[in-house]
Amino acid sequence: MNTTLTPPIALKKPYKLEMHGDVRTDDYYWMNERDHPDVLAYLEAENAYYEQMTAHTKPLQQQLFEEMKARIKEDDESVPFKYNGYWYYTRFEMGKNYPLYCRRKDTMLAPEEIMFDNNEMALGFSYFKQAGYSVSENNELAAFGTDTVSRRQYTIQVKNLKTGELYPEKIENTTGRAIWAGDNKTFFYTRKDPQTLRSNQIYRHTLGTSVADDILVYEELDETFDVGIFKSKSREFIFIGASSTLTSEYRYTRANGPDFDFEIVQERTRGLEYGISHYEDYFYLVTNADGATNFKLVKTPVSATAKENWVEVIPHREDTLLEDIEIFEEFLVVEERREGLNQINIKRWDGKDDYYLDFDSETYTAYTGINPDFDTIYLRYAFNALDTPASVISFNMVTKAKEVLKEAEVLGGKFDKANYESRRLWATADDGVKIPISIVYRKGISLDGSNPLLQYAYSSYGITTDPSFSSSRLSLLDAGFVFAIAHVRGSEYLGRTWYEDGKLLKKRNTFTDFIACSQFLIETGYTSSSNLFAYGGSAGGLLMGAIINMAPHLYKGVIASVPFVDVVTTMLDDSIPLTTSEYDEWGNPNDPEYYEYMKSYSPYDQVTPREYPNILVTTGYHDSQVQYWEPAKWVARLRENNLAETKIFFETNMDAGHGGASGRFEALKETAKDYAFLMDLAGKSK
């Protein structure tokens, strides 16, 4: 790497932060002044430094981009699904960044109707994202949301699918989704608080009327809750859901109105979670009620929905996490997780059949796909693994015959599944708990510690990273890298308790588990500390910040994307998006116990003079989830305290937010930059 340039030196303006008698001095607090000339100058200086210091990798970046692009089918098309008389699908055209949303009436042989061409809609914008679409019951109107800033604040509009006309109404600051009532003129949508971006209001709009006259249907006043709205698969009910990390509550109304008066299902009780579906005269609820840690399935009459009326359908099981259900006219499909692996259980309502799909693989990902039809015997599901491209499969639940509707193509003629091997390993944590690791590599590697290895984890909010295929990742594997997913506590990989043991006052388990996995991979010869790299984004970026404070000697390099690293300061600021709704995940630092615990691992607060590994930090200036100033401040403090001869790079995408660049090719360029950073450090430049 180029070592002749001097990194930017951020201005130090000491700012005192006092809480519970503890005083923290933040020299870089000033960076939260969005659009201030000093802030913009610093971000631009960091971008320039990163570009100059990595200029020698530009040919590698371009090569990686071209080979990743060459593997994807540019004129690709999704598997169509049928809904209300139309076949819907998404397709891409050669050389274009954005999708086209299309449909055909009755049969796929009918003329194509292009509902939305995002390539045309994105013209003139450096960022563009459409939040899907919702079609009215008469199939003539589509409500859709667009974001051209990357703050996840969508503007909803309505398009006449027959004439192509856009209606004049523009509804700002929404989640982008709309739910149509049965009258083809009324729809519901969710507004956000303009400052915190919390989804807090449900409105009803009548087509052709002023947005100013929209009716507020529901407002969530508890700042720890978010709200949303959706329609049942039966299309008979519209539900409003309010939820926090630990608690949920639903309201319902008939989709055909005419009054749209919402009734409560079960009043919120702290710690009670449930999800809701409709079938015939019952609501079906996936819930943790009555100590069902791994959730159970109950049903309740539509006419009597309170908890005292709930009847058990599938009991709680200690060894199985009940994740979701899919309801059909003749079948109930249950998505479960056992010993970390996805399971799909198919049950006939009449009790005549009850079986599981067979997935003959050591580590894989399987889940139900888009199944909008009630009256069908076909289940659509998806399957893939770290070494197996994704497939969409149609399964006949009566005959048990299956048909692969599509397997993702890996173009270029070089990919052969037989050249790769995926496995599941088990490391031992500090407290003796076994931690699973999904791993993939090119066959023939030697377990002598010489392999560069990229270790990934997210593991917060109960979100599980399943082992899935990536054609882009082949560039790393073919260069000799091993790729590993550490399924550390904080996800639900091994059930709900696995999540509970990685949050709040047990959050440090996430970090020590990751380090234990690193040590295991070194001890077993998959890599060495001079060849080990780590990657995580958002809450996974917090994980990256924690491990380089706790065990920096284990890693050659680390990539932290949109990292949540200033935990204490952010969680004390309830004006920042997401803060109040996340007290149940991280704790509320207004409580001294949580304050001290957060501070003990908060990456920004725990930076001290030590030898840090090479680090690449990336963020988006418009990020609504993790504000740009968190990584900016962190990088400045890291540089100030780094005692090693390593490089710390920071890049801000001035046009993007939490999800990075929009458009499939721009996203590939970002991946190519990350891979080039890793390969350059590993001496694997092509």
Side-chain angles (χ1 to χ4, degrees), residues 34-95:
R34 185 183 296 276
D35 298 334
H36 190 285
D38 290 345
V39 172
L40 294 174
Y42 174 69
L43 298 180
E44 290 165 0
E46 285 285 1
N47 282 352
Y49 175 69
Y50 167 72
E51 288 295 321
Q52 291 171 320
M53 290 293 288
T54 59
H56 65 289
T57 70
K58 289 294 184 184
L60 175 59
Q61 292 178 32
Q62 185 62 30
Q63 182 180 347
L64 288 167
F65 169 71
E66 294 295 344
E67 69 181 37
M68 289 188 290
K69 182 181 176 183
R71 292 191 195 104
I72 65 174
K73 192 173 187 295
E74 289 194 45
D75 55 345
D76 205 4
E77 185 174 301
S78 68
V79 178
F81 66 89
K82 195 171 187 180
Y83 180 74
N84 198 20
Y86 279 81
W87 289 94
Y88 290 89
Y89 57 99
T90 303
R91 65 178 178 85
F92 286 89
E93 295 183 336
M94 288 290 294

Side-chain angles (χ1 to χ4, degrees), residues 194-234:
Q195 181 173 0
T196 66
L197 304 188
R198 181 173 68 94
S199 305
N200 66 330
Q201 295 176 325
I202 305 295
Y203 277 87
R204 189 174 84 222
H205 177 77
T206 302
L207 201 61
T209 66
S210 171
V211 174
D213 295 330
D214 285 0
I215 297 171
L216 177 63
V217 174
Y218 177 75
E219 181 171 18
E220 179 54 60
L221 300 179
D222 188 330
E223 293 183 346
T224 67
F225 278 71
D226 296 298
V227 298
I229 190 160
F230 63 98
K231 185 182 288 187
S232 65
K233 183 175 177 177
S234 64

Side-chain angles (χ1 to χ4, degrees), residues 50-51 61 616 651 669-677:
Y50 167 72
E51 288 295 321
Q61 292 178 32
L616 170 60
E651 183 189 35
K669 289 176 182 177
E670 291 188 340
T671 302
K673 284 184 176 183
D674 291 347
Y675 285 6
F677 172 78

Side-chain angles (χ1 to χ4, degrees), residues 337-529:
R337 187 180 298 272
R338 189 181 306 124
E339 295 181 351
L341 300 179
N342 303 126
Q343 308 284 339
I344 298 178
N345 179 207
I346 298 174
K347 302 171 179 285
R348 287 192 68 104
W349 289 111
D350 59 15
K352 293 180 179 178
D353 216 350
D354 187 338
Y355 59 93
Y356 284 84
L357 297 183
D358 181 31
F359 303 114
D360 185 21
S361 183
E362 185 175 350
T363 179
Y364 61 87
T365 298
Y367 54 92
T368 61
I370 301 175
N371 292 280
D373 280 346
F374 242 1
D375 55 344
T376 179
I377 61 172
Y378 293 97
L379 168 71
R380 185 171 294 182
Y381 72 93
F383 176 88
N384 74 111
L386 288 169
D387 58 357
T388 305
S391 295
V392 177
I393 298 162
S394 177
F395 179 77
N396 187 315
M397 293 182 281
V398 174
T399 67
K400 302 178 184 176
K402 67 179 183 179
E403 177 188 2
V404 177
L405 300 178
K406 180 178 181 178
E407 182 175 74
E409 296 182 62
V410 182
L411 304 183
K414 298 180 180 179
F415 173 73
D416 184 347
K417 177 185 174 181
N419 292 331
Y420 305 89
E421 183 170 355
S422 66
R423 305 181 57 194
R424 189 163 63 158
L425 310 173
W426 297 83
T428 303
D430 293 347
D431 57 2
V433 172
K434 295 294 184 181
I435 311 298
I437 306 169
S438 295
I439 194 167
V440 63
Y441 49 85
R442 195 172 176 94
K443 289 181 179 177
I445 66 170
S446 299
L447 299 181
D448 58 3
S450 63
N451 309 299
L453 186 149
L454 178 60
Q455 181 179 331
Y456 172 83
Y458 180 80
S459 293
S460 288
Y461 307 103
I463 295 173
T464 299
T465 303
D466 283 311
S468 58
F469 184 80
S470 164
S471 64
S472 297
R473 192 189 301 133
L474 294 174
S475 293
L476 283 183
L477 301 182
D478 291 345
F481 273 77
V482 178
F483 178 74
I485 302 171
H487 300 290
V488 300
R489 281 173 281 189
S491 75
E492 290 185 343
Y493 187 81
L494 292 179
R496 181 69 174 196
T497 303
W498 201 246
Y499 169 44
E500 300 293 342
D501 285 346
K503 62 186 283 196
L504 296 174
L505 297 175
K506 296 181 180 180
K507 188 61 199 173
R508 290 179 70 90
N509 284 337
T510 300
F511 317 138
T512 54
D513 285 0
F514 191 90
I515 292 169
C517 290
S518 299
Q519 292 169 329
F520 172 81
L521 292 167
I522 292 170
E523 291 165 2
T524 50
Y526 281 96
T527 191
S528 64
S529 59

Side-chain angles (χ1 to χ4, degrees), residues 582-619:
E582 300 200 357
Y583 287 153
D584 287 333
E585 178 71 23
W586 311 102
N588 185 343
N590 292 292
D591 180 328
E593 183 180 22
Y594 286 107
Y595 176 89
E596 291 298 333
Y597 189 78
M598 278 184 197
K599 185 181 174 184
S600 75
Y601 68 74
S602 173
Y604 187 61
D605 291 286
Q606 293 304 315
V607 171
T608 59
R610 57 166 61 96
E611 293 187 349
Y612 283 101
N614 298 283
I615 304 169
L616 170 60
V617 181
T618 61
T619 193

Side-chain angles (χ1 to χ4, degrees), residues 546-577:
I547 64 167
I548 64 172
N549 283 332
M550 298 169 70
H553 60 285
L554 290 179
Y555 306 96
K556 173 78 170 183
V558 170
I559 299 178
S561 175
V562 293
F564 174 39
V565 285
D566 192 9
V567 184
V568 179
T569 306
T570 292
M571 293 304 295
L572 281 169
D573 187 351
D574 58 13
S575 70
I576 294 176

